[in-house]
């Protein structure tokens, strides 16, 4: 078959390849930002008044390598507590005379009930150890409002916990050292809480909040956590009110926060100590800051010190020290009694603000009151624009007809966005019908983008291909303008209206992530002005005028790639531990979820371009090329194994006991489970040594195996927070 291209095809391919290069450069920058490759860690000989990642890593090495596992009941937990306390005592010895250092080993006991993933759970705990350090000026009082910084030193079962949360403890130890060695005397007390029981349902923080004498003095807190080995250290929760996020925006050296994360975090099956400080046992203003990436090793035996992503702890430490100083020096820092007396008159009760960082370079912050005004502007412009364009020369009727065409453009753009999500999902299902295993992209996330992005782009372009010229309600003879120009106008303002409507919907729903669509709609306005001006000397049907449209959108598109790419990478890393539904449908769920997420990211990153660039991209030759590219990526991905040393498959072996009461064991068994869609059969086929160790022959099948109850498994392994795949029982 001979492909014949006309001049517009050639121009379309030139634009496509130019955009591919542009997005490739954006992706390179975003990848460097996400994995903190632009941050240079300071060495062991760094100035004493600077945070040093190298010094902090030495603490991580002791905790994760020399001590190792640190679960309740394991001797490593006690060793870790002694190590932390010894380090703090050494710092106390060299503290100046104008500073007071108080160190406590606090043993807590108690009981409480909580709601977790829709289940009511009751706890009774005894003799758990927290280590505390309080740093204050020599003339401070115990009632002075203080700043709490919290990190846990226990680990989940079987994990050395270098990142989660040896890195957090090491960061706090280095912060304590800086305060003492730099000579800075905090104007308000700083409390460092090293709690010994977070993994066992936040027991250490609960014990502190229920029993400790310093709890009522806390005016703000920072909870430091890790759900991976580094990368972006994102503010995932903040509040109550907007003050904590405002302090962060003003003080963070490398801002890594966006209010959309607070819309997403509640749907993630997990919790942190933030809950104890800000929700369940206090209403203290605070921040929940979490390492997001490197999640392949989260709660795993591979969470070792050599897996820590360079630069991540440096960024965290620099941010943390700056935030601690900002909170301690803030006039709004109040203890519990002062907050209660101020009540509604204080900023603590403000609604959540809108904020986001731009590639960690700077941060934009504005209150919800400003958002109510600002985020209403795009929809107002959309509704007013037909009247501004037509009222003076053509009358009221023409204005309403123009608005009707704009709505048509909005519907077509929304259809394209939906198809950009649906097409990759269909493609992923078709791929699995011809594949023996799923999740080929798990160890190589770029495969997900290679497979699904071209197919998603086809979905975006389909409405433009079907309707080369928008079915207009306006009378071309009256307006004396070409159908193509009116179609482009309606498509642009329809796309603009789509993002404006989403911005308004975010606002009315009470979410704070509307900045994403607001940024898109504001950038599209600038791009339209640039495009409109360029038409005068480039012409309407010119690639050069299209370039003038693209250039003002680059900052917005880069941010969309940043947000969308981070979202896809986070889900890919976490999907290996999220469990699965039983076969056969459970086999498809991870691929469908990632395909849909890539589709959303593609629609978000490319959507603002389509109304104008679609003139050149919605060509049958380009659609065929994109389809072939997706199929080639599909074939290429089938050559990749889903797992690697850096992205291992999680397998759980547990010894389960069924009891009638505290003293009577009714039954016991060894249970094996996997926690992703590639089942036990996949494991036995590709790891025959496992089958040999468990004495499983080639005749094994789910039909004849002894299956464990999901309920029993979840009770024993509630850390995993998800319905697991079918379990195979070996008694």
């Amino acid at each position: 078959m001979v492909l014949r291209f006309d001049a517009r095809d050639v121009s379309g391919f030139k634009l496509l390849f130019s955009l591919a290069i542009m997005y490739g450069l954006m992706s390179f920058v975003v990848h460097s930002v996400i994995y903190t490759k632009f941050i240079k860690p300071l060495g062991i000989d760094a100035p004493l008044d600077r945070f040093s990642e190298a010094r902090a890593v030495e603490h991580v090495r002791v905790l994760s390598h020399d001590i190792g596992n640190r679960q309740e009941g394991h001797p490593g937990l006690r060793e870790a507590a002694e190590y932390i306390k010894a380090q703090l005592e050494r710092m106390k010895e060299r503290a100046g005379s104008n500073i007071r250092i108080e160190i406590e080993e606090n043993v807590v006991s108690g009981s409480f009930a909580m709601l977790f993933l829709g289940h009511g759970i009751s706890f009774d705990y005894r003799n758990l150890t927290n280590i505390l350090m309080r740093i204050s000026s020599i003339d401070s009082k115990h009632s002075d409002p203080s700043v709490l910084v919290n990190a846990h030193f226990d680990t989940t079962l079987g994990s050395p916990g270098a990142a989660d949360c040896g890195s957090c403890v090491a960061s706090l130890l280095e912060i304590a050292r800086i305060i003492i060695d730099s000579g800075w005397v905090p104007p308000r007390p700083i409390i460092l809480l090293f709690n010994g029981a977070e993994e066992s349902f936040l027991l250490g923080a609960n014990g502190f909040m229920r029993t400790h004498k310093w709890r009522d003095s806390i005016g703000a807190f920072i909870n430091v956590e890790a759900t991976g080995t580094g990368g972006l250290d994102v503010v995932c929760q903040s509040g109550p009110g907007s003050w904590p996020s405002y302090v962060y925006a003003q003080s963070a050296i490398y801002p890594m926060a966006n209010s959309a994360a607070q819309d997403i975090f509640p749907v993630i099956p997990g919790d942190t100590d933030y809950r104890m400080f800000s929700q369940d046992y206090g209403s203290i203003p605070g921040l929940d800051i979490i390492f997001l990436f490197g999640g392949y090793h989260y709660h795993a035996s591979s969470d070792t010190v050599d897996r820590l992503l360079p630069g991540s702890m440096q960024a965290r430490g620099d941010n943390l020290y700056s935030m601690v100083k900002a909170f301690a020096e803030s006039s709004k820092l109040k203890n519990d009694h002062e907050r209660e007396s101020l009540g509604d008159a204080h900023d603590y009760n403000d609604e959540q603000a809108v904020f986001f960082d731009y590639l960690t370079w700077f941060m934009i912050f504005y209150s919800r009151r400003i958002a109510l005004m600002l985020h209403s502007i795009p929809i107002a412009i959309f509704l007013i624009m037909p009247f501004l364009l037509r009222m003076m020369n053509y009358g009221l009727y023409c204005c309403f007809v123009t608005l009707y065409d704009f709505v048509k453009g909005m519907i077509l753009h929304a259809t394209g966005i939906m198809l950009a999500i649906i097409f990759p999902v269909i493609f992923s299902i078709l791929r699995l019908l011809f594949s023996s295993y799923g999740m080929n992209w798990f160890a190589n996330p770029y495969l997900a983008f290679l497979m699904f992005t071209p197919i998603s782009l086809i979905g975006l372009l389909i409405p433009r291909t079907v309707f080369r010229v928008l079915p207009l309600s306006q009378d071309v003879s009256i307006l004396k303008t070409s159908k193509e120009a009116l179609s482009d106008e309606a498509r642009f303002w329809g796309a603009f209206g789509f993002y404006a409507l989403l911005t308004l919907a975010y606002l009315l729903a009470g979410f704070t992530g509307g900045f994403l669509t607001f940024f898109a709609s504001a950038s599209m306005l600038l791009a339209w002005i640039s495009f409109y001006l360029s038409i005068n000397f480039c012409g309407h049907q010119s690639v050069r005028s299209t370039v003038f449209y693209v250039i003002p959108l680059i900052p917005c598109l880069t941010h969309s790639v940043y947000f969308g790419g981070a979202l896809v990478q986070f889900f890919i890393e976490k999907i290996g531990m999220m469990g699965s539904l039983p076969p056969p449908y459970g086999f498809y769920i991870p691929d469908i979820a990632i395909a849909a997420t890539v589709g959303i990211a593609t629609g978000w990153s490319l959507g603002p371009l389509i109304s104008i660039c679609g003139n050149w991209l919605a060509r049958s030759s380009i659609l065929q090329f994109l389809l072939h590219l997706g199929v080639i990526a599909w074939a290429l991905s089938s050559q990749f194994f889903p797992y690697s040393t850096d992205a291992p498959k999680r397998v759980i072996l547990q010894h389960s006991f069924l009891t009638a009461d505290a003293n009577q064991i009714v039954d016991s068994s060894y249970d094996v489970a996997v926690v992703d869609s590639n089942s036990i059969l996949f494991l036995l086929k590709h790891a025959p040594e496992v089958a040999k160790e468990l004495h499983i022959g080639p005749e094994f099948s789910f039909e004849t195996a002894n299956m464990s109850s999901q309920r029993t498994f979840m009770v024993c392994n509630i850390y995993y927070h998800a319905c697991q795949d079918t379990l195979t029982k070996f008694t």
Side-chain angles (χ1 to χ4, degrees):
M1 183 180 69
V2 179
L3 294 176
R4 295 180 179 178
F5 296 149
D6 61 22
R8 289 186 68 85
D9 287 326
V10 173
S11 297
F13 274 104
K14 286 181 179 178
L15 178 61
L16 178 65
F17 293 142
S18 298
L19 290 175
I21 293 171
M22 183 184 78
Y23 278 97
L25 292 174
M26 289 178 183
S27 300
F28 176 78
V29 172
V30 164
H31 186 270
S32 298
V33 169
I34 286 176
Y35 288 98
T36 59
K37 293 184 178 182
F38 65 96
I39 297 174
K40 183 180 179 180
L42 295 186
I44 201 79
D45 57 348
L48 294 179
D49 62 346
R50 292 291 308 277
F51 186 98
S52 162
E53 179 173 304
R55 286 192 286 252
V57 166
E58 289 306 307
H59 294 305
V60 180
R61 197 178 308 280
V62 173
L63 291 168
S64 62
H65 183 267
D66 298 349
I67 295 175
N69 292 351
R70 307 183 299 280
Q71 301 87 38
E72 184 58 41
H74 193 285
L77 189 65
R78 182 63 213 166
E79 291 177 38
E82 291 173 353
Y83 173 79
I84 293 167
K85 189 175 181 182
Q87 293 298 312
L88 298 179
E89 292 289 356
R90 289 178 188 174
M91 296 177 200
K92 181 178 180 179
E93 290 174 1
R94 60 176 187 267
S97 59
N98 59 343
I99 196 168
R100 177 188 295 139
I101 305 293
E102 300 168 79
I103 299 172
E104 286 192 10
E105 180 175 329
N106 183 227
V107 179
V108 296
S109 302
S111 61
F112 69 102
M114 68 185 296
L115 191 67
F116 183 76
L117 300 181
H119 299 278
I121 311 173
S122 297
F123 299 96
D124 182 83
Y125 58 93
R126 295 287 181 271
N127 302 324
L128 303 179
T129 300
N130 293 331
I131 306 296
L132 295 103
M133 172 186 252
R134 186 175 186 268
I135 308 172
S136 60
S137 63
I138 198 67
D139 56 351
S140 68
K141 303 174 183 177
H142 280 295
S143 60
D144 288 348
S146 58
V147 180
L148 172 72
V149 189
N150 174 73
H152 69 89
F153 60 88
D154 64 321
T155 65
T156 191
L157 191 65
S159 174
D164 183 24
C165 213
S167 66
C168 312
V169 171
S171 297
L172 264 64
L173 289 172
E174 180 67 358
I175 291 297
R177 185 206 58 75
I178 296 173
I179 294 174
I180 291 171
D181 290 348
S182 68
W184 176 60
V185 180
R188 312 285 180 80
I190 310 296
I191 299 173
L192 304 179
L193 170 58
F194 303 85
N195 89 71
E198 188 270 350
E199 300 291 0
S200 51
F201 287 91
L202 325 179
L203 302 183
N206 178 271
F208 173 81
M209 288 302 297
R210 288 167 62 93
T211 65
H212 203 275
K213 61 185 178 182
W214 293 338
R215 61 178 180 175
D216 292 333
S217 73
I218 300 170
F221 75 91
I222 304 169
N223 182 57
V224 188
E225 256 292 0
T227 185
T229 55
L232 294 179
D233 196 25
V234 175
V235 176
C236 291
Q237 299 183 89
S238 69
S242 60
W243 175 59
S245 51
Y246 176 77
V247 171
Y248 181 89
Q250 293 292 309
S251 61
I253 308 298
Y254 307 102
M256 305 175 188
N258 66 75
S259 48
Q262 299 180 88
D263 300 333
I264 298 171
F265 191 84
V267 305
I268 296 175
D271 252 323
T272 71
D273 286 326
Y274 175 92
R275 172 174 178 168
M276 289 295 162
F277 302 129
S278 189
Q279 297 169 359
D280 289 4
Y281 290 92
S283 187
I284 305 171
L287 301 167
D288 198 17
I289 305 178
I290 305 176
F291 276 157
L292 284 191
F293 297 103
Y296 294 120
H297 312 290
Y298 174 61
H299 282 190
S301 58
S302 56
D303 183 9
T304 54
V305 67
D306 57 298
R307 301 282 185 185
L308 295 175
L309 298 175
S312 301
M313 290 187 68
Q314 186 66 50
R316 164 178 280 180
D318 288 342
N319 281 351
L320 199 56
Y321 184 50
S322 182
M323 282 186 287
V324 166
K325 294 182 74 172
F327 274 119
E329 294 168 357
S330 174
S331 61
K332 295 182 179 180
L333 190 72
K334 309 293 181 183
N335 62 30
D336 183 63
H337 175 72
E338 291 169 333
R339 288 196 303 274
E340 287 183 0
S341 62
L342 287 169
D344 294 337
H346 200 266
D347 287 344
Y348 296 127
N349 294 307
D350 283 355
E351 294 178 296
Q352 292 286 356
V354 176
F355 53 90
F356 63 97
D357 71 279
Y358 191 85
L359 278 68
T360 75
W361 298 343
F362 59 87
M363 189 162 168
I364 294 174
F365 177 99
Y366 49 95
S367 69
R368 182 164 176 81
R369 293 175 186 173
I370 294 176
L372 287 170
M373 177 188 66
L374 210 57
H375 290 191
S376 301
I377 292 174
I379 196 67
I381 292 175
F382 173 74
L383 295 173
I384 292 171
M385 207 63 205
F387 299 89
L388 294 178
L389 292 172
R390 306 284 188 262
M391 190 68 179
M392 291 292 292
N393 299 321
Y394 304 104
L396 189 61
Y397 174 76
C398 191
C399 296
F400 283 108
V401 172
T402 302
L403 179 60
Y404 182 45
D405 283 341
F406 287 4
V407 171
K408 289 179 186 177
M410 181 194 297
I411 293 171
L412 282 179
H413 190 79
T415 303
I417 295 292
M418 288 188 288
L419 291 178
I421 300 169
I422 293 171
F423 275 26
V425 168
I426 295 173
F427 187 79
S428 71
I429 294 171
L430 292 174
R431 188 187 73 82
L432 291 178
L433 292 175
F434 299 95
S435 178
S436 59
Y437 49 80
M439 298 174 57
N440 302 61
W441 34 260
F442 182 65
N444 301 283
Y446 63 87
L447 290 175
F449 291 98
L450 285 178
M451 281 192 296
F452 300 134
T453 301
I455 306 303
S456 180
L457 182 54
I458 291 173
L460 269 177
L461 293 172
I462 284 292
R464 186 63 181 255
T465 306
V466 173
F467 297 98
R468 296 296 304 176
V469 177
L470 193 74
L472 297 168
S473 299
Q474 300 173 78
D475 191 331
V476 178
S477 62
I478 295 176
L479 296 176
K480 298 179 181 179
T481 308
S482 68
K483 284 186 177 181
E484 290 77 10
L486 290 176
S487 293
D488 283 348
E489 180 185 68
R491 282 194 171 98
F492 171 80
W493 288 108
F496 176 86
F498 173 78
Y499 296 111
L501 193 61
L502 278 182
T503 303
L504 183 65
Y506 260 109
L507 191 66
L508 297 178
F511 296 133
T512 54
F515 66 86
L516 293 164
T517 47
F518 176 77
F519 193 7
S521 56
S523 299
M524 287 179 71
L525 273 181
L526 294 176
W528 177 257
I529 294 169
S530 174
F531 176 71
Y532 187 79
L533 294 175
S534 71
I535 289 174
N536 295 326
F537 55 89
C538 293
H540 187 272
Q541 298 293 323
S542 166
V543 174
R544 283 183 294 175
S545 60
T546 303
V547 171
F548 276 96
Y549 177 78
V550 173
I551 290 173
L553 281 171
I554 289 176
C556 170
L557 299 179
T558 304
H559 184 266
S560 297
V561 171
Y562 172 56
F563 185 86
L567 188 65
V568 173
Q569 182 68 31
F570 176 77
F571 280 151
I572 285 177
E573 292 180 357
K574 286 295 178 287
I575 212 159
M577 62 174 293
M578 296 299 287
S580 70
L581 295 172
Y585 304 112
F587 178 63
Y588 296 90
I589 297 301
D591 279 80
I592 289 174
I594 295 303
T597 307
V598 172
I600 292 170
T602 303
W604 213 268
S605 303
L606 287 167
L609 292 176
I610 295 302
S611 59
I612 301 300
C613 295
N615 263 332
W616 305 97
L617 299 179
R619 314 284 298 173
S620 61
S621 57
I622 290 180
L623 295 184
Q624 291 177 46
F625 171 76
L626 292 172
L627 181 59
H628 292 158
L629 188 62
V631 172
I632 291 170
W634 171 2
L636 179 66
S637 72
S638 65
Q639 304 304 310
F640 285 80
F641 194 67
Y643 309 101
S644 68
T645 305
D646 293 327
K649 180 177 178 63
R650 293 172 184 263
V651 181
I652 301 171
L653 172 65
Q654 71 175 35
H655 193 185
S656 305
F657 293 89
L658 178 64
T659 60
D661 54 42
N663 300 312
Q664 183 181 0
I665 298 176
V666 176
D667 193 13
S668 68
S669 63
Y670 287 97
D671 299 281
V672 174
V674 295
V675 288
D676 64 33
S677 63
N678 289 316
S679 71
I680 290 285
L681 293 176
F682 173 93
L683 174 67
L684 300 179
K685 176 182 177 181
H686 294 281
E689 63 274 15
V690 174
K692 181 180 179 181
E693 189 69 25
L694 297 173
H695 307 292
I696 301 173
E699 71 285 352
F700 171 82
S701 71
F702 284 124
E703 287 73 20
T704 59
N706 190 8
M707 302 297 178
S708 298
S709 164
Q710 284 188 346
R711 181 183 295 271
T712 300
F713 185 80
M714 286 182 68
V715 169
C716 297
N717 292 276
I718 202 161
Y719 289 138
Y720 287 90
H721 306 166
C723 294
Q724 306 299 327
D725 198 355
T726 304
L727 301 179
T728 308
K729 178 183 282 188
F730 304 92
T731 56

